Amino acid sequence: MTSSPSEFPDFAAFSAYLDNLGLFHMDLGPGRMHSALARLHLVSLPHLAVQTVGTNGKGSTSALLAALLAAHGLPTGLYLSPHFVSVRERILFGGRQLPEPVWTDAANAVLAAAAPGGEAGRLTYFELLTAMAAWLFTDQGAEAVVYEAGLGGAGDATTALPRDLVLFAPIGLDHAAVIGPTLADIARDKAGAMTPGGLAVTGPQPPEALAELRRQAEAVGARLYDVSELAVYDSRTKRAVLKAPHRLDIPEARLRLAGPHQAQNAALALAGFALCAGMLGIIPDPDAVRRALAETFLPGRLHLLRLPEMGPDLLLDCAHNLPALTALETALSSLRLAPSALIFTCLGDKDLEAMAPVAARLTAGPIFVPELPGISRARPAAEVAARLGPRAVVVAGPEAALESVRALDGTVLACGSMYLLAALFPAGQN
């Protein structure tokens, strides 16, 4: 184990320490975070805090809500995970990454205060970043912050933060080995993010997941709204409607984020904004709402890259579990897009048997399955290819997958793992 230094001299030193913590090391439970927040004097936060919990759509919902708040003039923070190229993508203020020296200062402040007890009290990768986010947003003078949860709800690091509102994006079967095994078990864990006597909003959920959310809300005395009580987004007419606290009908509110599933995310973000507006005394402005919806973008969500010196375009999508792949299949049909080939793999903890038939349907062309060197949870490419059928070909890695599709026409789709997308993403930015 790598011990915490007394002080990081620069961002590179902190980044190396973070890498040594282990991205995939999980130790769920609120104890270390509560202790760290107490020592950082963050038992209460000086900003309105919204937490987004769920299986799919958390990032898009969080980004849309942060954009809605920022468009109304609030200094706004956004905490996301995972990242593609740099860990600095996870903590955004005013829609921008913070400078490396600011990160280094935050890391030094948090580690100096958070773990005086040595290894036993040391924060995990995600806990450290969560504590740093709360410290940075406070230091930067944020008035509102949206925190995307990591894994689960009850034991997630973000749940240790004081929160004014919890949003529940769609809940599905993922991380079943950690918080499952059933959908009801997963929903019960995520429902544990609700605060006693607090506010929560849920988007559409499977019946067993909704039952768990309602059961937990009753148990802790939380007010659980259905998204339709507060807001609507119609992807066909491009109309956004806020129902409370101010009735507002906004035509021509176009989403930059592509795919029919983004309408649900937009509605949940609008519902969250409706409640935040009431708490903050904001009068919603139609032009600000339109601007936020039209400008919000996250990489890896039906993200089209035009690569230099390549025949096809590359479409990246972060679908990495069965519900997300199903939504991706629907989105491709809606967009009338038939990929000429697929680059696909997944991690070892995913339900490949359920995912493989859907993944294979995403293209009628060849499927290239790369190894993911350096990713400890990666599933062997040969195992993935065997499930995908005779069109699947094993390649050495992401770069080899790109070489394999270089001479094709049309659009090549890449999905199945955020770590696959991260390896492909820089190629489209050169």
Side-chain angles (χ1 to χ4, degrees):
M1 300 289 282
T2 302
S3 60
S4 304
S6 57
E7 185 171 319
F8 298 111
D10 52 32
F11 181 77
F14 165 68
S15 185
Y17 170 77
L18 196 60
D19 289 343
N20 284 331
L21 280 180
L23 179 61
F24 299 119
H25 173 67
M26 291 178 287
D27 188 359
L28 301 179
R32 289 177 305 279
M33 277 296 294
H34 282 310
S35 296
L37 293 171
R39 293 190 183 99
L40 289 164
H41 306 290
L42 293 174
V43 173
S44 62
L45 297 174
H47 50 259
L48 179 142
V50 182
Q51 180 193 31
T52 309
V53 179
T55 303
N56 294 306
K58 291 180 298 180
S60 297
T61 299
S62 298
L64 286 163
L65 176 55
L68 286 162
L69 292 164
H72 286 79
L74 289 177
T76 302
L78 175 61
Y79 179 56
L80 298 169
S81 65
H83 60 272
F84 277 90
V85 179
S86 169
V87 69
R88 289 167 56 225
E89 298 165 28
R90 294 178 180 236
I91 299 176
L92 304 176
F93 185 66
R96 295 195 171 105
Q97 296 179 27
L98 294 167
E100 290 184 358
V102 174
W103 268 73
T104 305
D105 290 345
N108 287 328
V110 170
L111 284 179
E119 295 293 340
R122 192 172 69 165
L123 299 176
T124 65
Y125 186 106
F126 189 70
E127 288 172 341
L128 174 55
L129 291 178
T130 302
M132 285 176 58
W135 190 93
L136 279 165
F137 293 138
T138 299
D139 184 65
Q140 295 290 314
E143 294 182 18
V145 178
V146 185
Y147 295 92
E148 179 188 358
L151 189 154
D156 192 78
T158 58
T159 301
L161 299 169
R163 290 147 296 129
D164 300 281
L165 174 64
V166 181
L167 303 181
F168 288 98
I171 297 171
L173 277 170
D174 199 9
H175 301 294
V178 181
I179 56 173
T182 70
L183 180 58
D185 292 324
I186 292 169
R188 190 176 307 117
D189 182 87
K190 293 182 186 293
M194 284 187 221
T195 59
L199 296 176
V201 186
T202 181
Q205 303 288 358
E208 55 267 57
L210 182 59
E212 292 298 335
L213 293 178
R214 287 176 171 164
R215 187 175 295 115
Q216 178 68 7
E218 183 175 356
V220 301
R223 173 66 166 97
L224 176 65
Y225 289 92
D226 184 272
V227 64
S228 62
E229 297 178 67
L230 298 169
V232 175
Y233 182 81
D234 189 324
S235 58
R236 183 181 58 84
T237 63
K238 315 301 181 192
R239 184 178 297 274
V241 177
L242 296 179
K243 297 182 177 181
H246 304 280
R247 174 78 186 188
L248 193 61
D249 195 328
I250 308 170
E252 298 180 18
R254 298 182 177 275
L255 275 174
R256 182 178 176 184
L257 291 168
H261 56 287
Q262 293 293 357
Q264 285 189 7
N265 297 332
L268 184 56
L270 287 163
F273 173 70
L275 291 177
C276 291
M279 287 185 270
L280 294 168
I282 294 173
I283 298 176
D285 175 68
D287 289 335
V289 171
R290 289 192 191 95
R291 187 167 65 253
L293 298 181
E295 293 178 358
T296 299
F297 170 77
L298 283 178
R301 280 75 171 176
L302 286 173
H303 179 188
L304 191 66
L305 297 176
R306 291 181 168 85
L307 303 181
E309 301 178 2
M310 288 193 69
D313 294 334
L314 184 64
L315 183 67
L316 304 179
D317 192 84
C318 61
H320 61 284
N321 53 40
L322 180 59
L325 283 174
T326 303
L328 174 57
E329 184 180 30
T330 301
L332 292 175
S333 175
S334 163
L335 296 168
R336 295 188 173 90
L337 184 57
S340 55
L342 174 67
I343 300 173
F344 178 89
T345 193
C346 66
L347 300 185
D349 61 347
K350 302 302 175 185
D351 187 354
L352 176 59
E353 186 171 354
M355 293 166 63
V358 182
R361 292 198 302 263
L362 297 177
T363 182
I367 303 172
F368 298 95
V369 183
E371 301 286 3
L372 291 179
I375 305 299
S376 61
R377 283 167 54 206
R379 192 185 294 265
E383 184 181 333
V384 178
R387 288 288 187 183
L388 291 171
R391 288 183 291 123
V393 178
V394 173
V395 293
E399 289 187 5
L402 285 179
E403 283 300 318
S404 300
V405 303
R406 185 176 293 277
L408 298 179
D409 296 321
T411 299
V412 171
L413 172 66
C415 64
S417 166
M418 291 288 278
Y419 303 100
L420 169 63
L421 268 58
L424 296 172
F425 182 69
Q429 303 303 300
N430 294 332

